[in-house]
Amino acid sequence: MTSSNHKANLLVELFVEELPPKALKKLGESFAQVLADSLKAQGLATADAVVTAFASPRRLAVHVSHVAAKAADQAVQQKLMPVAVGLDAAGQATPALLKKLAALGAGPEVVPGLKRALDGKAEALFFDSIKPGASLAEGLQKALDESIAKLPIPKVMTYQLEQGEGAHFQPGWTSVNFVRPAHGLVALHGDQEVAVAALGLKAGRSTRGHRFEARVDKIILLTADTYAEQLLHEGAVIASFAERRAEIERQLAAAAAKAGTNLKPIEDDALLDEVTALVERPNVLTGRFEEAFLAVPQECLILTMKANQKYFPLLDTSGKLTNQFLIVSNIKPDDASAVVGGNERVVRPRLADAKFFFDQDRKKTLESRVDGLAKVVYHGKLGTQGDRAERVRAIGHEIVKQMSLATLPFTVDAQDHFAVLDSKVQQAARLAKTDLLTDMVGEFPELQGIMGGYYARHEGLRDGVAIAIEDHYKPRFAGDALPRNHTGTVVALADKLETLVGLFGIGQLPTGDKDPFALRRHALGVIRILVENNLPLALPELVAAAIPVFGELISNPAEHLLVFFSDRLAVSLREQGYSAQEVDAVLALQPERLGDVPRRLAAVRAFAALPEAASLAAANKRVGNILKKTETHVEAKVDEALLKESAERALYDALQAAAPKARASFEEGDYTASLQALAVLKAPVDAFFDGVMVNADDAALKANRLGLLATLHKAMNQVADISRLAA
């Protein structure tokens, strides 16, 4: 190996037309990472090189520290062929060997220096050579091509070059495919330009700043290290996406504080990322709209301001919308009144549209829209939204029935309570999808459910029904709140089960990273509702109750759907910090009531911390393996008269004392106490396996000992399959 030579920091920039804002962050990260990784792989940058990504609306760039002008040479050893093939009886090179060496650029003179070594059973010839390290120009060209090819471009543009190099270049005819037309390429190693090319551009050292506020037309970069500073001072551009985002956050907070006491901008990371991708030097300004618009539901106003204008609405301490909003401008005039006034004029008709939709929608009741659901196709194989609403009603009725049965024995009050609940569920389920036919939801689909709740309250529907209509999509995403009342909980469960059972029943399962119907999210929603509300409902029974409402439209999806639920639950629990062993131990028993799962996991974790746990888990695994190997089913039954050995008698006595305590705690729902009651079995279990032959010659003794082990296995695996904790 020869050492690499001069090292300096490297800067590469692609200067382009405005990049798609929602993709900019990922484009910048990918461009920087792929290019840097390629340089590291080629030996031009060290593994600990500092990689700094830059991304603004008109540029993708990366700064990499300590990049070598030339990679170190590498010693390479290559297997040629077996000695018997490469050398003749006299030890001279055969034509086959000479041909192989010639292909590697070597002549007959290297034959005496070839190494011999065993390769399997035969001796082979090996050729040692030095592979020259890549020059920076060669390596950077490869890295640049790779980083461009691997960009996560949402949609490629095709454009024609007006300037270019090469015999085949024709102005206006040579096409390039890229995310946006590229107009400049910079490659600086320290203060030296690197001769690379991409997208019809040759690398230089000049770039451009802000479209309107740059101090100079062209910025001539002095070195790789002055890039960000020169862009800021000469070009009025904050090149770093992260620094620009932080500056916007700082200005938003300052503007909110200036706008009023305890006001704060709405928190929205996606909007913040998008706005960061729209401006090169942010300037936050405050606008206002007429207070009369605040009569419209604030979700509508907030959504139109965020989605259409990229504004940050200002909220008070209670989260209520005010009539002020923050504008992130890309220019910084001495007098900002024209910018503010222009934005206020633009937002006014948007808010007026929202008010018009709201006023028009309230002229019709939700009930009057029910028949219209029969004209809205849900799925070609599953019918209309009207069909779907009826199925959700039927499933909701079955859920209420299961809830009522779980609280037996009935009292008169309980029966009345469930009758009222069922009535509310039926009404909410019937009306839950009707807001899909409103003007507001037609304009803003994100407001479905939310607007139904507003319109239901406007009509004075029964207490809880409006909330249920609003909440029946919840939880919509990870971390979202659950439905706020019993009616909403039942309708949300019914709605998600209808979706899952129906789509699984027609074979529309998620595949890989494709899940167009968000079935994973629906499954996690069902799991969260059951677990976090600790509902006395068994998932298999819920699925079984939902299947008949589809009639002949679907085949029975229960088996596949329950496996899907189990997989999603396992993933969710591991993401919450439980170990794979803990999750496996609990889910191996396929607990029907998911509300029990957190307490079972807590019990398993507490048990695993006991000094006896490892030994008992290993013993449990051994018992399970023994029972699996028996040809007939072993009943958990013991004949005391056949307990001949002191060790088996001691284990039996210990079980007689511990098992009832474990069972009592289990039935009371104290799973931790149930498992810990078994800790006393460690010594007798160890003694049993040390001193008792299970497979005795006497068939009766053998059967009795297997019965003892089956009794032990049953006692130990009520809360979880303890054997899954064994190393």
Side-chain angles (χ1 to χ4, degrees):
M1 295 258 183
T2 60
S3 61
S4 59
N5 49 12
H6 173 64
K7 289 187 176 182
N9 296 338
L10 176 74
L11 185 281
V12 179
E13 183 206 61
L14 263 176
F15 181 74
V16 298
E17 293 184 15
E18 277 74 5
L19 292 158
K22 291 185 179 180
L24 179 64
K25 186 178 181 182
K26 286 185 177 179
L27 288 172
E29 291 169 351
S30 172
F31 181 76
Q33 197 60 54
V34 173
L35 189 143
D37 286 348
S38 180
L39 293 176
K40 292 176 182 180
Q42 296 177 75
L44 288 163
T46 59
D48 59 353
V50 178
V51 180
T52 306
F54 299 96
S56 83
R58 298 202 295 161
R59 73 200 74 240
L60 300 174
V62 56
H63 182 278
V64 186
S65 68
H66 301 97
V67 175
K70 181 179 179 298
D73 297 341
Q74 290 184 318
V76 178
Q77 185 177 80
Q78 188 165 354
K79 177 188 170 184
L80 299 175
M81 58 189 65
V83 172
V85 176
L87 301 176
D88 59 21
Q92 300 299 309
T94 63
L97 177 59
L98 294 175
K99 184 177 180 181
K100 180 71 172 178
L101 288 171
L104 297 173
E109 69 277 3
V110 305
V111 173
L114 296 179
K115 291 184 178 179
R116 298 187 182 198
L118 281 176
D119 181 49
K121 295 183 179 180
E123 194 176 27
L125 294 170
F126 293 85
F127 174 51
D128 289 338
S129 62
I130 299 296
K131 180 183 177 182
S135 69
L136 178 56
E138 296 168 340
L140 181 56
Q141 185 65 63
K142 179 181 177 182
L144 183 58
D145 292 343
E146 188 178 347
S147 65
I148 291 173
K150 291 185 176 180
L151 279 176
I153 297 174
K155 192 173 183 180
V156 174
M157 286 183 65
T158 299
Y159 60 95
Q160 285 69 47
L161 297 174
E162 294 299 327
Q163 296 179 343
E165 303 286 334
H168 299 292
F169 172 75
Q170 292 182 294
W173 289 91
T174 301
S175 295
V176 171
N177 294 320
F178 195 51
V179 59
R180 291 290 186 271
H183 298 298
L185 176 63
V186 172
L188 287 178
H189 186 230
D191 60 358
Q192 299 297 308
E193 296 178 24
V194 185
V196 293
L199 304 175
L201 302 166
K202 291 178 65 177
R205 65 190 316 126
S206 69
T207 187
R208 295 179 183 273
H210 197 288
R211 273 196 187 275
F212 312 111
E213 301 194 348
R215 288 173 50 197
V216 295
D217 182 43
K218 279 191 176 182
I219 301 170
I220 308 301
L221 297 172
L222 303 176
T223 72
D225 293 343
T226 61
Y227 175 72
E229 183 181 359
Q230 284 188 260
L231 268 179
L232 180 61
H233 295 296
E234 298 176 37
V237 172
I238 301 174
S240 166
F241 188 96
E243 290 179 16
R244 208 163 57 254
R245 191 181 194 273
E247 173 62 14
I248 292 172
E249 282 192 288
R250 186 193 68 76
Q251 289 191 36
L252 287 172
K258 189 176 179 181
T261 305
N262 297 323
L263 295 186
K264 64 176 183 178
I266 193 163
E267 294 180 7
D268 189 320
D269 284 341
L271 177 61
L272 189 55
D273 283 343
E274 189 174 358
V275 170
T276 303
L278 286 168
V279 299
E280 292 187 307
R281 186 176 67 165
N283 179 32
V284 174
L285 305 169
T286 304
R288 295 174 178 270
F289 58 83
E290 290 79 356
E291 290 190 5
F293 287 122
L294 293 176
V296 179
Q298 71 176 46
E299 291 90 345
C300 309
L301 303 180
I302 289 170
L303 186 57
T304 192
M305 284 191 280
K306 290 196 313 180
N308 295 318
Q309 306 306 135
K310 315 306 175 189
Y311 298 151
F312 287 82
L314 282 175
L315 310 177
D316 64 18
T317 51
S318 64
K320 186 178 179 181
L321 180 68
T322 69
N323 69 322
Q324 297 186 80
F325 59 93
L326 301 181
I327 308 150
V328 183
S329 174
N330 193 35
I331 56 176
K332 196 171 185 178
D334 293 334
D335 181 3
S337 59
V339 177
V340 173
N343 280 278
E344 290 177 342
R345 284 193 298 275
V346 168
V347 79
R348 194 170 293 117
R350 294 285 189 179
L351 302 182
D353 285 346
K355 185 175 187 305
F356 175 77
F357 294 147
F358 184 56
D359 291 341
Q360 289 298 110
D361 286 341
R362 288 183 296 170
K363 292 178 181 179
K364 291 180 67 176
T365 65
L366 294 179
E367 182 64 38
S368 71
R369 300 179 189 271
V370 170
D371 290 343
L373 291 175
K375 300 174 184 177
V376 181
V377 175
Y378 166 56
H379 190 285
K381 295 182 179 180
L382 296 173
T384 66
Q385 288 287 1
D387 298 326
R388 190 178 179 209
E390 287 304 307
R391 291 194 292 264
V392 172
R393 284 180 63 188
I395 296 170
H397 175 71
E398 291 300 318
I399 292 172
V400 174
K401 187 189 295 184
Q402 290 187 21
M403 291 174 73
S404 68
L405 293 173
T407 62
L408 287 174
F410 272 150
T411 65
V412 173
D413 290 342
Q415 290 181 21
D416 288 344
H417 167 71
F418 286 114
V420 171
L421 175 60
D422 188 43
S423 175
K424 290 182 179 180
V425 165
Q426 296 301 298
Q427 185 180 20
R430 176 177 169 81
L431 301 177
K433 304 297 180 186
T434 53
D435 69 353
L436 297 175
L437 302 175
T438 62
D439 291 339
M440 188 71 82
V441 174
E443 180 71 13
F444 300 113
E446 302 94 328
L447 295 177
Q448 56 189 284
I450 294 170
M451 295 315 302
Y454 274 107
Y455 298 142
R457 277 188 285 273
H458 170 72
E459 294 171 26
L461 294 187
R462 286 188 299 172
D463 180 45
V465 171
I467 290 176
I469 292 172
E470 179 180 341
D471 286 0
H472 84 279
Y473 288 106
K474 293 181 179 179
R476 297 171 184 249
F477 51 85
D480 190 19
L482 297 183
R484 289 165 287 175
N485 62 17
H486 294 315
T487 308
T489 296
V490 173
V491 178
L493 266 179
D495 185 66
K496 290 169 174 54
L497 285 167
E498 191 278 337
T499 300
L500 288 159
V501 170
L503 291 168
F504 264 74
I506 59 171
Q508 293 275 10
L509 282 64
T511 56
D513 59 349
K514 293 183 179 179
D515 187 7
F517 297 100
L519 299 184
R520 292 185 180 93
R521 177 167 57 80
H522 284 295
L524 283 173
V526 171
I527 289 166
R528 280 193 59 200
I529 290 171
L530 293 176
V531 171
E532 294 178 32
N533 289 318
N534 192 22
L535 294 179
L537 300 170
L539 190 54
E541 292 178 11
L542 289 174
V543 171
I547 292 171
V549 305
F550 287 87
E552 302 298 319
L553 292 177
I554 65 171
S555 57
N556 190 331
E559 182 178 350
H560 291 113
L561 185 51
L562 290 172
V563 170
F564 182 70
F565 272 118
S566 181
D567 290 343
R568 301 320 304 160
L569 177 58
V571 170
S572 174
L573 293 172
R574 288 196 293 269
E575 288 175 349
Q576 293 173 45
Y578 293 104
S579 71
Q581 282 183 314
E582 291 167 342
V583 172
D584 195 23
V586 170
L587 298 190
L589 298 188
Q590 298 180 335
E592 293 187 343
R593 284 185 53 173
L594 299 190
D596 285 347
V597 168
R599 288 181 294 128
R600 289 177 186 255
L601 282 165
V604 167
R605 180 166 285 183
F607 174 78
L610 297 175
E612 300 89 351
S615 177
L616 284 172
N620 192 38
K621 185 175 182 179
R622 184 174 178 182
V623 170
N625 290 335
I626 291 171
L627 295 175
K628 284 178 187 175
K629 292 177 182 177
T630 57
E631 297 178 358
T632 58
H633 172 70
V634 179
E635 192 176 350
K637 185 178 179 182
V638 179
D639 183 348
E640 290 188 63
L642 293 175
L643 297 172
K644 301 297 184 184
E645 303 290 342
S646 59
E648 60 183 329
R649 164 58 70 176
L651 176 57
Y652 176 76
D653 290 342
L655 259 176
Q656 290 296 99
K661 295 179 182 177
R663 166 57 65 179
S665 296
F666 177 81
E667 291 176 350
E668 291 171 3
D670 190 346
Y671 298 142
T672 299
S674 179
L675 277 179
Q676 293 185 342
L678 302 172
V680 296
L681 297 177
K682 178 187 179 302
V685 167
D686 290 345
F688 176 86
F689 282 118
D690 287 342
V692 178
M693 176 69 70
V694 176
N695 292 322
D697 293 335
D698 187 319
L701 283 179
K702 177 181 177 180
N704 200 54
R705 287 169 182 171
L706 287 172
L708 178 59
L709 291 182
T711 304
L712 173 65
H713 198 255
K714 182 178 179 181
M716 293 181 72
N717 294 307
Q718 295 176 103
V719 175
D721 182 352
I722 300 304
S723 69
R724 306 298 176 105
L725 301 177

